[in-house]
């Protein structure tokens, strides 16, 4: 694998759309969870969405469900997060991460949200949503 590199952050108004990209060569096949986390000032880092390369199953936090889509592209070498209907509370530094996940779907329900699942992290990209 090569180091993860996230890009695409920026400033948008509430209700806007933004797409994040993470170069993630080497993680798109196998048993990896590839995820987006975010951390707002003064808050703990939280999992936003994840995708399991073993079956391309996607997971979402309740706070973004219905507004975000995580996907793999470019021959599974790129991780995307498409965000719509952005809210000021989406303002945060966004990180992409990758790590080995369980082949058991029930275990993954818990694993994808845990920072300890992920061994590789990219530098963050800032998303700012103004009201």
């Amino acid at each position: 694998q090569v180091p993860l590199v996230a890009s695409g952050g920026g400033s948008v108004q509430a209700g806007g759309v933004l797409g994040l990209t993470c170069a993630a060569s080497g993680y798109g096949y196998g048993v990896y969870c590839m995820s987006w986390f975010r951390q707002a000032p003064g808050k703990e880092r939280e999992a936003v969405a994840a995708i399991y390369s073993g079956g391309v199953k996607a997971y979402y936090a309740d706070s973004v469900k219905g507004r975000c889509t995580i996907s793999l592209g470019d021959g599974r070498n790129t991780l995307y997060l498409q965000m719509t209907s952005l809210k000021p509370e989406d303002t945060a530094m966004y990180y992409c991460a990758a790590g080995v996940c369980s082949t058991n779907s029930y275990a993954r329900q818990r694993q994808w949200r845990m920072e300890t699942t992920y061994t590789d992290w990219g530098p963050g990209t800032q998303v700012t949503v103004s009201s």
Side-chain angles (χ1 to χ4, degrees):
Q1 296 92 0
V2 297
L4 301 173
V5 180
S7 62
S11 296
V12 297
Q13 289 194 327
V17 175
L18 204 61
L20 303 183
T21 299
C22 178
S25 179
Y27 298 99
Y29 294 92
V31 291
Y32 291 102
C33 278
M34 303 168 68
S35 298
W36 289 97
F37 279 73
R38 67 185 181 187
Q39 187 168 22
K43 295 189 177 181
E44 292 187 355
R45 189 155 54 182
E46 62 174 350
V48 176
I51 194 163
Y52 174 58
S53 61
V56 201
K57 165 72 176 173
Y59 304 86
Y60 297 95
D62 288 344
S63 59
V64 303
K65 200 171 290 183
R67 299 190 297 119
C68 290
T69 302
I70 189 170
S71 61
L72 285 171
D74 188 25
R76 292 197 182 188
N77 289 314
T78 305
L79 180 69
Y80 299 101
L81 183 69
Q82 183 71 8
M83 301 185 290
T84 64
S85 301
L86 282 161
K87 305 175 181 180
E89 50 263 45
D90 294 318
T91 295
M93 187 72 76
Y94 283 71
Y95 302 87
C96 59
V100 174
C101 256
S102 174
T103 56
N104 183 295
S105 62
Y106 293 104
R108 279 200 310 275
Q109 293 284 348
R110 177 177 54 88
Q111 268 191 319
W112 78 267
R113 300 174 184 273
M114 300 167 57
E115 288 189 50
T116 52
T117 296
Y118 302 92
T119 51
D120 300 299
W121 294 80
T125 184
Q126 178 69 37
V127 172
T128 302
V129 184
S130 57
S131 57

